Amino acid sequence: MHSRISDDTVSMALPGSTGHAPLPESASNGLKIVIVGGFGVGKTTMVRSVSEIRPLSTEETMTQAGVGIDDASFVRHKTTTTVAFDFGRISLDEQMVLYLFGAPGQERFWFLWDRLFSGTLGAVVLVDTNRLSDSWYALDRLEHHGTPFIVARNNFTEPQHSLEEVREALDLPPEVPMIDCDARKRDSSKAVLVALARYLYSLSANGAAGESTA
């Protein structure tokens, strides 16, 4: 399946969001992407910024019940939180559709992640350099499932460390791509998906080359 998606395909499929684009009747191949990361890192924002439809969101107002459980010290402006998942959609062509799932960030909802990873083509790990430790669980679960992923540093504020310093702190292999982004901006979120598509395509091409020489 990986060989059928390329960065050019994704790039051409992301012109402008219509908010209500109908799913083509000819659509027959759904490709699933999951966006994971810590609490308040920008997953819902990314899905909203890039989806061609009005995203399905399971956000609820944060209440006193989360005090002492959800660490909101770095996101004091945050008033809502995802309790199941966010869902968006991008039509790649007349047959292929990319489905985006934003995973909940709080530890108490992590039990949902394994189900979200089922059937996933690849993943984006969204990180906040102020809270890199919040990304370790996501990286561990993706590696456990053998799901290819890239890491996107979300720059809501000016980054304090280089990408290589972030790579070292997360102990990422050199082949795992890293990219800067601003999840609030459509073009920036689009660039993240293009980077993931390019990575998946390269893995598929390398795998096909290995099979042909075996």
Side-chain angles (χ1 to χ4, degrees), residues 15-125:
S17 177
T18 64
H20 57 275
L23 182 66
E25 293 183 2
S26 57
S28 60
N29 193 6
L31 309 175
K32 181 179 177 183
I33 298 296
V34 175
I35 302 172
V36 296
F39 173 57
V41 77
K43 301 179 295 298
T44 297
T45 301
M46 175 169 282
V47 173
R48 285 177 176 172
S49 71
V50 80
S51 177
E52 69 185 12
I53 62 172
R54 186 183 302 277
L56 168 66
S57 179
T58 58
E59 283 201 312
E60 297 291 344
T61 301
M62 295 174 64
T63 67
Q64 289 297 315
V67 175
I69 299 175
D70 302 327
D71 182 7
S73 58
F74 285 98
V75 284
R76 297 187 183 279
H77 62 284
K78 189 172 178 62
T79 59
T80 61
T81 184
T82 300
V83 297
F85 59 84
D86 301 303
F87 173 77
R89 191 192 79 207
I90 300 167
S91 298
L92 301 183
D93 57 29
E94 289 301 313
Q95 293 185 320
M96 293 171 36
V97 179
L98 184 67
Y99 296 110
L100 301 175
F101 289 82
Q106 305 96 305
E107 184 175 352
R108 56 195 167 117
F109 296 125
W110 283 352
F111 69 92
L112 295 169
W113 285 22
D114 286 346
R115 291 187 178 183
L116 282 177
F117 291 161
S118 177
T120 297
L121 182 68
V124 174
V125 180

Side-chain angles (χ1 to χ4, degrees), residues 124-194:
V124 174
V125 180
L126 205 57
V127 303
D128 180 343
T129 53
N130 291 315
R131 298 174 289 134
L132 283 180
S133 60
D134 290 355
S135 307
W136 292 340
Y137 182 79
L139 296 173
D140 177 74
R141 298 316 298 166
L142 290 169
E143 291 173 353
H144 172 77
H145 284 273
T147 303
F149 64 89
I150 68 169
V151 174
R153 177 175 65 176
N154 188 21
N155 297 324
F156 280 162
T157 58
E158 188 68 23
Q160 301 299 314
H161 306 280
S162 69
L163 285 179
E164 285 309 309
E165 288 174 329
V166 175
R167 178 183 296 277
E168 183 177 353
L170 294 176
D171 194 25
L172 290 177
E175 64 271 15
V176 174
M178 291 194 64
I179 185 173
D180 270 322
C181 74
D182 185 334
R184 297 167 295 189
K185 299 179 180 178
R186 180 174 175 81
D187 285 346
S188 187
S189 294
K190 166 186 167 180
V192 173
L193 296 180
V194 169

